[in-house]
Amino acid sequence: MKSVSRVLVQGGGIGGLVAATALAQRGVHVDVVEHRPPGSVLGVGLNQPGNALGVMREIGVLDDCLSAGYQFSDLRMAASDSSTMMDIPPSLFQDLPPNNAIQRAELCRILLGAAGSSGGHLHHGSTVASLAEDFGGVDVTFTGAMPDAAVPGDGRYDLVVGFDGIRSQVRRHLFGNRYDAEFTGFAC
């Protein structure tokens, strides 16, 4: 089995930055490509339940998240008429707060810092143009600006992971349009 030493992460959101940080902390060369500029975060805020806080602890940013957020215990899901749909029990992680509400911009700032300080190479304004895999790895070409020499106009990786959202180019490469998103009448 071939070891993984070079990884491309497509998508610099929460999942991509957490993966990049964890891999870089383990000595893997990681390039992250994100088509949006740094800090351009969509949405207002989110909740980090105990399992997410456990991941933040694992990559060393728990204290930063807790300092930037607001911890609370009770979580209730309500319908549009205010009736209770469910009460979510406290976290199974007794050594962590049950929930942490945090602004997306703050979480992005924390995760960008963690990925960069761990040795991840962040490339904003670029994205995957094409992927071609074989038994030895994946050849990748990029679109957009590649601001430093860590990744030239194309690259060779042991692994490519996709955290590129609802219109994922990585998913489309693997499955065609078989799993394209369809509106189901429900949004969260």
Side-chain angles (χ1 to χ4, degrees):
M1 174 181 235
K2 180 182 175 187
S3 68
V4 173
S5 61
R6 284 183 55 84
V7 174
L8 174 68
V9 175
Q10 168 65 48
I14 295 168
L17 292 173
V18 168
T21 302
L23 288 164
Q25 287 173 343
R26 287 155 178 82
V28 175
H29 174 96
V30 180
D31 290 311
V32 179
V33 291
E34 169 58 52
H35 71 282
R36 292 189 176 119
S40 61
V41 179
L42 300 175
V44 177
L46 55 85
N47 177 46
Q48 295 176 299
N51 58 342
L53 293 174
V55 171
M56 297 301 114
R57 176 172 51 199
E58 177 73 24
I59 65 167
V61 298
L62 176 63
D63 291 341
D64 293 333
C65 289
L66 295 178
S67 293
Y70 171 79
Q71 294 79 56
F72 63 98
S73 58
D74 296 331
L75 184 58
R76 173 171 285 164
M77 302 296 261
S80 59
D81 66 0
S82 299
S83 64
T84 299
M85 293 171 58
M86 76 168 56
D87 287 313
I88 298 174
S91 169
L92 299 175
F93 300 90
Q94 299 301 317
D95 59 334
L96 293 170
N99 296 285
N100 185 54
I102 188 168
Q103 291 182 343
R104 283 185 183 270
E106 282 297 297
L107 181 57
C108 180
R109 178 189 61 75
I110 291 166
L111 294 177
L112 281 168
S117 67
S118 296
H121 304 275
L122 307 170
H123 308 279
H124 291 276
S126 60
T127 190
V128 169
S130 68
L131 301 165
E133 72 263 16
D134 57 39
F135 288 109
V138 184
D139 291 311
V140 182
T141 60
F142 300 95
T143 61
M146 297 305 285
D148 62 32
V151 177
D154 53 46
R156 176 93 173 149
Y157 294 91
D158 300 316
L159 178 68
V160 174
V161 293
F163 289 94
D164 49 340
I166 195 166
R167 292 177 185 85
S168 171
Q169 288 296 101
V170 174
R171 182 179 60 242
R172 169 92 24 131
H173 171 77
L174 292 171
F175 303 109
N177 63 1
R178 182 174 173 192
Y179 297 108
D180 281 357
E182 290 182 27
F183 183 62
T184 62
F186 180 79
C188 202

